[in-house]
Amino acid sequence: ELRGHVLEACKCPHANHVLQKIILLLPASSLQFIVDELMAGVIAQMVRHKYGCRIIQRLVEHCRASQVQKLVEIALKDIPALSRHPYGTYVIQNILQHGTHEHRRRILAAVIKGIRVLGAESNGCAVVSAALSYGLDRDRYALAQVVLREHGLLCFLANSRHGHTAAMRALDLLTGDDQEVARARLRAQDALLRHSRYGRIVVEYMEAGSSDQLFLSAASRAGA
């Protein structure tokens, strides 16, 4: 019986798996006690916890948006800091993928505002990549333009483990002259990119032509 022990289970290296399984199997209406007990605790700590962050993600994925609205609002109070946190970054990425349009737009706005800091840090790069992958097309396009305008950022992303997927997504989103400028900047750094495992993936992606199938193939190779 987990009622009354949700917070303990969230922090336990073994019980958190049981709790995740319950969230996956039960209907959303039966998960309210988990949300309630979390809300009675300290959400800001839970989204930064090694195991607790997993429970937050499963709830966002499987509960109704109205059920986790307050929980997500608390999580999004400091988007830049959470994006750079080793566990909090996964919560932000998860909300980008499974959250409401409003939550996505709030994260996109924060990413655009803090692109210089987020783009320079590993966990932040992963959030930039997720922000370029999910949400409304116009918001993702606006972020891609910001990446292009920020001096040296596109090439820096292309050379990094988490950033190279962001570089490829930006290339896909940009159009016309913007896309040509982006490709020219990357081609100008061809030698540098080819000396990097992730840079080579971006170069090959450009040479092969972009598509969702090629993106997934490139991302899979990077994770191998």
Side-chain angles (χ1 to χ4, degrees), residues 64-77:
R64 297 185 299 272
S66 58
Q67 273 184 289
V68 294
Q69 174 71 22
K70 291 182 180 179
L71 186 153
V72 173
E73 289 291 330
I74 295 172
L76 296 184
K77 281 188 175 180

Side-chain angles (χ1 to χ4, degrees), residues 82-150:
L82 197 60
S83 296
R84 301 193 304 274
H85 190 274
Y87 303 123
T89 183
Y90 295 112
V91 175
I92 294 295
Q93 293 174 58
N94 183 270
I95 295 171
L96 277 166
Q97 184 174 2
H98 300 285
T100 65
H101 285 310
E102 177 57 29
H103 291 147
R104 288 172 178 163
R105 297 199 72 173
R106 283 178 57 185
I107 296 173
L108 260 292
V111 171
I112 287 174
K113 185 177 180 179
I115 190 67
R116 183 174 299 181
V117 174
L118 294 176
E121 195 270 339
S122 178
N123 294 320
C125 279
V127 169
V128 174
S129 181
L132 287 165
S133 299
Y134 305 109
L136 297 176
D137 287 347
R138 64 174 180 269
D139 296 329
R140 295 161 58 222
Y141 176 66
L143 177 56
Q145 288 183 308
V146 170
V147 169
L148 180 63
R149 289 198 300 267
E150 189 65 34

